[in-house]
Amino acid sequence: MVSSPHEAMHRIFQEYPGLFSRVSEVLGIDIPPPTSATALPTDLTEARPVERRVDTLLRIETKHDGPFLLAIEAQGKKDPRKTASWPYYVSYLHNRYALPVLLLVVCQDHTTAEWAARPISIGVRQWQTLALNPLVAGPHNMPVITDVAEARKDLALATLAAITHADNPDVGAILKTLSAALRDTPETIADPIVELTAQGLGNRPAAQQWRNLVAVDLSFYKSPLSEEIRDEGRAQGRVQGRVQGHAEDILLVLGQRNITVPDKVRDRITDCGDPETLRQWLMRAVTAGSAEEIFAEE
């Protein structure tokens, strides 16, 4: 199953095709800035039933150097099969469109990035028939953007940088910078960035940090993610209300029955966050001979 970070790492180039121009600068590759970009079909399957599909494929137009194809692969881990499929992608695309082809691999960890950057050679020991050199963007070469002005200058690059640094110990500062940069940004621009960032972080701990930032810093946005976070907050509030009510009811019943409640028991009741457990304790409080007896069956 394709993960949400996998989707975000290549889909961001679909949303912001001009992003590759800035990424190539970061990678130290002199690629002319695009004048336009067109998304192409990603299906590379031939008539024979062998399905091959690149993650994202863009036709990039340039002012002086002509067009080229940009094939983007999001890679979450090492995959030995790619040493066969990536050269196939490049040669197939070159043959089909008769255009130069660049392969960009986007990663979120150093080990995978180092593996993906290795040249792929097809041939014999004495002679290389075909050599493939992927461009790789990952935590080893994407900028760590913690300056709001820098992030605001290029929100797409700042988003990709945040996604590729999802496991960085300073990811909290990176995400805080991105959320601050979005505060004065129109919703039409901010919404896809909020969603892509959440998608790119997947189920990492940083994902919850981003959700918290969206809930506080970007509370005025109406994006699906911000609405989901607010719904979660309201649901948590309702659960907390039930928890508090059940705890008060238990103490009230014990008090009405003149049963002494030691501080240790009181603390256990008020610290419990499970409504079902509190409901069971409440039922036992009606007949318990002492406060401790409400825990007797546990």
Side-chain angles (χ1 to χ4, degrees):
M1 181 180 294
V2 174
S3 66
S4 58
H6 176 280
E7 286 292 299
M9 283 191 288
H10 69 84
R11 193 166 69 85
I12 188 173
F13 289 91
Q14 298 175 19
E15 297 285 342
Y16 309 99
L19 172 61
F20 178 67
S21 177
R22 280 93 74 192
V23 171
S24 65
E25 291 179 12
V26 173
L27 299 180
I29 309 297
D30 185 19
I31 302 294
T35 55
S36 67
T38 305
L40 300 176
T42 59
D43 192 347
L44 310 184
T45 307
E46 297 185 32
R48 287 170 292 180
V50 179
E51 182 177 342
R52 300 181 187 273
R53 195 174 297 272
V54 69
D55 288 335
T56 287
L57 180 62
L58 300 174
R59 177 187 170 114
I60 305 292
E61 302 286 344
T62 65
K63 189 172 183 180
H64 300 296
D65 290 12
F68 67 91
L69 298 180
L70 176 63
I72 303 162
E73 285 279 281
Q75 199 63 34
K77 61 182 179 180
K78 297 179 182 180
D79 185 352
R81 294 172 298 178
K82 296 299 184 180
T83 58
S85 58
W86 285 346
Y88 172 87
Y89 294 168
V90 171
S91 58
Y92 174 90
L93 291 169
H94 182 265
N95 181 66
R96 178 177 177 180
Y97 292 98
L99 289 174
V101 183
L102 281 177
L103 173 65
L104 173 67
V105 183
V106 185
C107 307
Q108 287 181 296
D109 68 90
H110 292 271
T111 302
T112 303
E114 182 180 353
W115 164 82
R118 295 173 184 171
I120 299 173
S121 176
I122 297 177
V124 295
R125 179 175 56 84
Q126 295 85 352
W127 190 263
Q128 291 185 2
T129 303
L130 177 66
L132 176 67
N133 295 286
L135 283 173
V136 178
H140 65 297
N141 56 13
M142 284 291 97
V144 175
I145 300 177
T146 54
D147 179 77
V148 175
E150 183 182 356
R152 191 172 285 137
K153 191 187 309 180
D154 194 335
L155 289 170
L157 180 62
T159 303
L160 179 65
I163 291 171
T164 55
H165 286 289
D167 293 322
N168 189 308
D170 296 325
V171 68
I174 296 170
L175 296 175
K176 182 66 177 176
T177 299
L178 181 58
S179 68
L182 292 175
R183 284 178 191 163
D184 300 323
T185 305
E187 285 187 42
T188 53
I189 296 174
D191 281 356
I193 289 176
V194 169
E195 302 296 334
L196 276 168
T197 304
Q199 188 179 30
L201 297 174
N203 59 2
R204 291 172 168 81
Q208 188 57 51
Q209 296 183 52
W210 180 244
R211 296 174 76 87
N212 293 340
L213 287 167
V214 172
V216 177
D217 291 355
L218 308 177
S219 59
F220 46 87
Y221 284 145
K222 301 299 181 183
S223 71
L225 177 64
S226 59
E227 287 298 305
E228 179 185 335
I229 290 172
R230 282 191 279 275
D231 288 343
E232 288 178 359
R234 286 190 285 267
Q236 290 173 359
R238 289 192 292 270
V239 171
Q240 186 59 38
R242 289 199 300 272
V243 165
Q244 184 177 351
H246 286 335
E248 291 175 351
D249 289 343
I250 294 169
L251 295 174
L252 178 62
V253 168
L254 294 174
Q256 289 290 338
R257 298 183 59 223
N258 295 319
I259 294 177
T260 301
V261 181
D263 290 342
K264 187 175 181 179
V265 172
R266 183 182 300 273
D267 289 343
R268 183 173 177 182
I269 293 171
T270 56
D271 290 344
C272 180
D274 181 16
E276 180 59 26
T277 298
L278 288 167
R279 189 182 68 82
Q280 293 176 4
W281 291 350
L282 176 59
M283 294 172 63
R284 296 172 192 166
V286 176
T287 57
S290 67
E292 290 82 355
E293 283 187 21
I294 68 171
F295 312 130
E297 297 181 20
E298 299 178 6

